[in-house]
Amino acid sequence: MTEDEFDAFYAAAFPRLTGQLYAFTGDHGEAQDVVQEAFVRAWDRRRDFLADGAPEAWIRTVAMRLAVSRWRRARRWLELVRRNPPPEFVPGPDPEHAALVTALRTLPEAQRMAVVLHHLCDLSVEQVASETGAPVGTVKARLSRGRTALARVLAPREGEREGDRVR
């Protein structure tokens, strides 16, 4: 099947197959997704597709199997959630964490990346340089500038106690 023939086949069969899978799944969006995925899989086989004799049946079968797989995955996920419900109370971030995140947002992206990778992800300066593609000296400068900027933002202002600071 050529690309043009496949395109014509897709245009003719997609609405029909979507309708059939909609009846099977009860969810129009899900039906469109599985039919689309089946067509994507058929695209790789399009050269041999007419030789199969029933390309629409093949796509319908693949789409139905995909829908059943999604149901099974969803059911397993639901069973897992039921067995392990989320904790009743999940504490929010503490004020220090929120202040740090707010302060990090004030840094230029390159400095923020260097500070996060080095101090929060525990990467060495050399690893940060490798990860970011910057020379080691540049990473060191970014870390220094980033720490200085963070110290200015996070340090208590004169006349303020640590707990009184507005973040």
Side-chain angles (χ1 to χ4, degrees), residues 21 24-25 30 34 60-76:
L21 268 291
F24 182 66
T25 64
E30 181 74 10
V34 294
R60 183 177 25 264
T61 302
V62 170
M64 288 184 148
R65 288 179 180 166
L66 287 168
V68 169
S69 291
R70 288 182 177 196
W71 278 343
R72 287 180 181 150
R73 232 177 289 126
R75 189 178 64 218
R76 281 193 304 265

Coordinates of all heavy atoms in Angstrom, one line a residue, residues 21 24-25 30 34 60-76:
L21 N -15.3 1.3 17.9 CA -14.6 1.3 19.2 C -15.2 2.1 20.3 O -15.2 1.8 21.5 CB -13.1 1.7 19.0 CG -12.1 0.6 18.7 CD1 -11.9 -0.3 19.9 CD2 -12.4 -0.2 17.5
F24 N -17.6 -0.1 21.8 CA -16.9 -1.1 22.6 C -16.4 -0.4 23.9 O -16.5 -1.1 25.0 CB -15.7 -1.6 21.8 CG -14.9 -2.7 22.5 CD1 -15.4 -3.9 22.8 CD2 -13.6 -2.4 22.9 CE1 -14.7 -4.9 23.5 CE2 -12.8 -3.4 23.5 CZ -13.4 -4.6 23.8
T25 N -15.9 0.8 23.9 CA -15.3 1.4 25.1 C -16.2 2.3 25.9 O -16.1 2.4 27.1 CB -14.0 2.3 24.7 OG1 -14.5 3.3 23.9 CG2 -13.0 1.4 24.0
E30 N -11.3 7.9 24.1 CA -10.5 6.6 24.2 C -10.6 5.9 22.9 O -9.6 5.3 22.5 CB -11.1 5.8 25.4 CG -10.3 4.5 25.6 CD -9.0 4.7 26.3 OE1 -8.6 5.8 26.7 OE2 -8.2 3.7 26.3
V34 N -7.2 4.8 20.7 CA -6.8 3.5 20.3 C -6.8 3.2 18.8 O -5.9 2.5 18.3 CB -7.6 2.4 21.1 CG1 -7.3 2.4 22.6 CG2 -9.1 2.4 20.8
R60 N -8.9 -2.9 13.5 CA -10.0 -3.1 14.5 C -9.5 -4.0 15.6 O -9.6 -3.7 16.8 CB -11.3 -3.6 13.9 CG -12.4 -3.7 14.9 CD -13.7 -4.1 14.3 NE -13.7 -4.9 13.1 CZ -13.8 -4.4 11.9 NH1 -14.0 -3.1 11.7 NH2 -13.7 -5.2 10.8
T61 N -8.9 -5.1 15.3 CA -8.4 -6.1 16.3 C -7.3 -5.4 17.1 O -7.3 -5.5 18.4 CB -7.8 -7.3 15.6 OG1 -8.8 -7.9 14.8 CG2 -7.3 -8.3 16.6
V62 N -6.3 -4.7 16.5 CA -5.3 -4.0 17.3 C -5.9 -3.0 18.2 O -5.5 -2.9 19.4 CB -4.2 -3.4 16.3 CG1 -3.3 -2.5 17.1 CG2 -3.5 -4.5 15.5
A63 N -6.8 -2.2 17.7 CA -7.4 -1.2 18.5 C -8.2 -1.8 19.7 O -8.1 -1.3 20.8 CB -8.4 -0.3 17.7
M64 N -8.9 -2.9 19.5 CA -9.6 -3.5 20.6 C -8.6 -4.1 21.6 O -8.9 -3.9 22.8 CB -10.5 -4.6 20.1 CG -11.7 -4.1 19.4 SD -12.8 -5.4 18.9 CE -14.4 -4.6 19.0
R65 N -7.5 -4.6 21.2 CA -6.5 -5.2 22.1 C -5.9 -4.0 22.9 O -5.6 -4.2 24.1 CB -5.5 -5.9 21.3 CG -6.0 -7.3 20.8 CD -4.9 -8.0 20.1 NE -5.5 -9.3 19.6 CZ -4.9 -10.1 18.7 NH1 -3.8 -9.7 18.2 NH2 -5.5 -11.2 18.3
L66 N -5.7 -2.9 22.2 CA -5.1 -1.7 22.9 C -6.1 -1.2 24.0 O -5.7 -0.9 25.1 CB -4.8 -0.6 21.9 CG -3.6 -0.8 21.1 CD1 -3.6 0.2 19.9 CD2 -2.3 -0.7 21.9
A67 N -7.4 -1.2 23.6 CA -8.4 -0.8 24.6 C -8.5 -1.7 25.8 O -8.5 -1.2 27.0 CB -9.8 -0.7 23.9
V68 N -8.4 -3.0 25.6 CA -8.4 -4.0 26.6 C -7.2 -3.8 27.5 O -7.3 -3.8 28.7 CB -8.6 -5.4 26.1 CG1 -8.3 -6.4 27.2 CG2 -10.0 -5.6 25.5
S69 N -6.0 -3.6 26.9 CA -4.8 -3.4 27.7 C -4.9 -2.2 28.5 O -4.5 -2.2 29.7 CB -3.6 -3.2 26.7 OG -3.3 -4.4 26.1
R70 N -5.5 -1.1 28.0 CA -5.7 0.1 28.8 C -6.6 -0.1 30.0 O -6.4 0.4 31.1 CB -6.2 1.3 27.9 CG -5.1 1.8 27.0 CD -5.7 2.9 26.2 NE -4.6 3.5 25.4 CZ -4.7 4.7 24.8 NH1 -5.8 5.4 25.0 NH2 -3.8 5.2 24.0
W71 N -7.7 -0.9 29.7 CA -8.6 -1.2 30.8 C -7.9 -2.0 31.9 O -8.0 -1.7 33.1 CB -9.8 -2.1 30.3 CG -10.9 -1.3 29.7 CD1 -11.1 0.0 29.7 CD2 -11.9 -1.9 28.8 NE1 -12.2 0.3 29.0 CE2 -12.7 -0.8 28.4 CE3 -12.1 -3.2 28.4 CZ2 -13.8 -1.0 27.6 CZ3 -13.2 -3.3 27.5 CH2 -14.0 -2.3 27.2
R72 N -7.1 -3.0 31.5 CA -6.4 -3.8 32.5 C -5.4 -2.9 33.3 O -5.3 -3.1 34.5 CB -5.6 -4.9 31.8 CG -6.5 -6.0 31.3 CD -5.8 -7.1 30.6 NE -6.7 -8.1 30.2 CZ -6.5 -8.9 29.1 NH1 -5.4 -8.7 28.4 NH2 -7.4 -9.8 28.7
R73 N -4.7 -2.0 32.6 CA -3.7 -1.2 33.3 C -4.5 -0.3 34.3 O -4.0 -0.1 35.4 CB -3.0 -0.3 32.2 CG -1.5 -0.4 32.4 CD -0.7 0.4 31.4 NE -0.8 -0.2 30.1 CZ -1.2 0.3 29.0 NH1 -1.6 1.6 28.9 NH2 -1.2 -0.4 27.8
A74 N -5.6 0.3 33.8 CA -6.4 1.2 34.7 C -6.9 0.4 35.9 O -6.9 0.9 37.0 CB -7.5 1.8 33.9
R75 N -7.3 -0.8 35.7 CA -7.9 -1.7 36.8 C -6.8 -2.0 37.8 O -6.9 -1.9 39.0 CB -8.5 -2.9 36.2 CG -9.2 -3.7 37.3 CD -9.9 -4.9 36.8 NE -8.9 -5.9 36.4 CZ -9.1 -6.7 35.3 NH1 -10.2 -6.6 34.6 NH2 -8.1 -7.5 34.9
R76 N -5.6 -2.3 37.3 CA -4.4 -2.6 38.2 C -4.1 -1.4 39.0 O -3.8 -1.5 40.2 CB -3.2 -3.1 37.4 CG -3.3 -4.6 37.0 CD -2.0 -5.1 36.5 NE -1.4 -4.4 35.4 CZ -1.6 -4.7 34.1 NH1 -2.3 -5.7 33.8 NH2 -1.0 -4.0 33.2

